[in-house]
Amino acid sequence: MTGTAPSQHDSDDSRPVAAARSAAHDDRFAAAARSGYATSGLLHLVLGWLTAIVASGGNASADYSGALRAVAAQPFGVVALAIAGAACALLGLWNAGRAVFGRDGVRSRLGAAGTTAVYLVIGATVLRYAFGTRSSAAQSTRSLSGELMTNPFGSALLIATGLVILIVAGYHVFKGVARKFLDDLKGLPNTPVLGTVTLLGTAGYVAKGLVLGALGLLFIVATVQHDPSDSSGLDGAVQAVRDQPFGPSILLGLAVGLVLYGAYQIVRARYDTME
């Protein structure tokens, strides 16, 4: 039985797709992409430390720009940021391959698409900071929120953003409490280490979910009150928690949780199945 040979044009068109599909299932690419989790872990360790400073009454920017600034101030910090940004970008691209060429169900592929967006944004932010674009995240968020609040459509978009963040926050809490994060660590041996990793993941995911929940509420409240000064991103959410009754103690607990989440992400870089 004979068939029609593909034309040169069809063959050329298929090469980029074939290359992308091959990369998505390449073990070497997956191994390099693992470093993105370690980068996320280190950033959360620094973020937890900055949050602890705020909880103790100190002055710090407890957001990603503050964490990046702290890393950049260290010897070879800018080089480390450039490597970290590239690592996050690799993890984002690897998840993009999962989303497009993955063999899992629709839900898993949608999750991979969401992870793609997260790590590509983190990678781009880190790389921009490494190469000189070092604006304050809190100031940028206040400025953008102020512009959006000038019209009903912009206000609706801010409220929708707050609701989406609340949904993501709820998912983090659920993933921690239900220990769903262990599904990502099928390569982890069933040893006493498993108990430690379970503690790291449970406390870490819950803490990050609570911080994100405060951020989502801040977006919604600031928009309803038409006060862009209250919409200052993650740093504003941390400050808002500190100003509540028992706020410093709560914030210190969240800081510990963010550190544990960072430690979990570093462990994940070693044991994630990367399937």
Side-chain angles (χ1 to χ4, degrees):
M1 180 176 178
T2 60
T4 304
S7 67
Q8 181 66 36
H9 178 71
D10 291 339
S11 178
D12 289 341
D13 283 349
S14 67
R15 286 174 184 169
V17 175
R21 181 179 286 108
S22 176
H25 299 292
D26 190 287
D27 290 339
R28 293 167 298 179
F29 185 22
R34 287 179 183 276
S35 56
Y37 289 125
T39 295
S40 172
L42 291 173
L43 288 177
H44 279 88
L45 289 176
V46 177
L47 185 59
W49 169 60
L50 294 173
T51 302
I53 292 176
V54 175
S56 63
N59 185 22
S61 296
D63 56 16
Y64 288 111
S65 65
L68 295 176
R69 188 160 50 249
V71 174
Q74 306 306 310
F76 303 104
V78 173
V79 175
L81 286 179
I83 296 172
C88 285
L90 279 175
L91 185 55
L93 292 173
W94 183 82
N95 276 282
R98 281 185 61 204
V100 177
F101 303 113
R103 303 184 183 96
D104 297 327
V106 174
R107 181 180 299 179
S108 295
R109 295 174 71 175
L110 287 175
T115 305
T116 296
V118 169
Y119 280 97
L120 286 181
V121 168
I122 293 176
T125 302
V126 174
L127 288 173
R128 286 180 60 195
Y129 199 91
F131 292 106
T133 306
R134 301 184 177 180
S135 59
S136 166
Q139 293 177 354
S140 299
T141 303
R142 277 193 295 265
S143 176
L144 178 60
S145 297
E147 293 178 8
L148 291 174
M149 287 180 190
T150 59
N151 62 82
F153 176 78
S155 296
L157 180 60
L158 284 174
I159 291 176
T161 300
L163 291 174
V164 169
I165 294 174
L166 285 176
I167 292 172
V168 174
Y171 175 73
H172 273 75
V173 173
F174 166 75
K175 190 170 183 177
V177 172
R179 300 180 178 179
K180 301 294 288 184
F181 58 87
L182 291 175
D183 294 341
D184 301 324
L185 302 176
K186 294 177 182 177
L188 184 67
N190 189 15
T191 65
V193 176
L194 180 60
T196 301
V197 174
T198 301
L199 173 63
L200 293 176
T202 301
Y205 268 99
V206 170
K208 184 168 184 183
L210 293 176
V211 171
L212 289 175
L215 175 60
L217 287 174
L218 200 64
F219 265 102
I220 295 172
V221 171
T223 304
V224 171
Q225 296 180 347
H226 203 76
D227 187 358
S229 64
D230 285 341
S231 182
S232 51
L234 189 57
D235 183 55
V238 169
Q239 300 287 347
V241 172
R242 187 188 64 178
D243 294 338
Q244 304 306 310
F246 306 103
S249 298
I250 295 173
L251 198 57
L252 186 59
L254 293 178
V256 172
L258 288 172
V259 169
L260 295 179
Y261 180 82
Y264 164 78
Q265 287 288 80
I266 293 173
V267 172
R268 185 178 183 181
R270 169 64 178 84
Y271 291 109
D272 193 282
T273 54
M274 301 297 283
E275 294 177 348

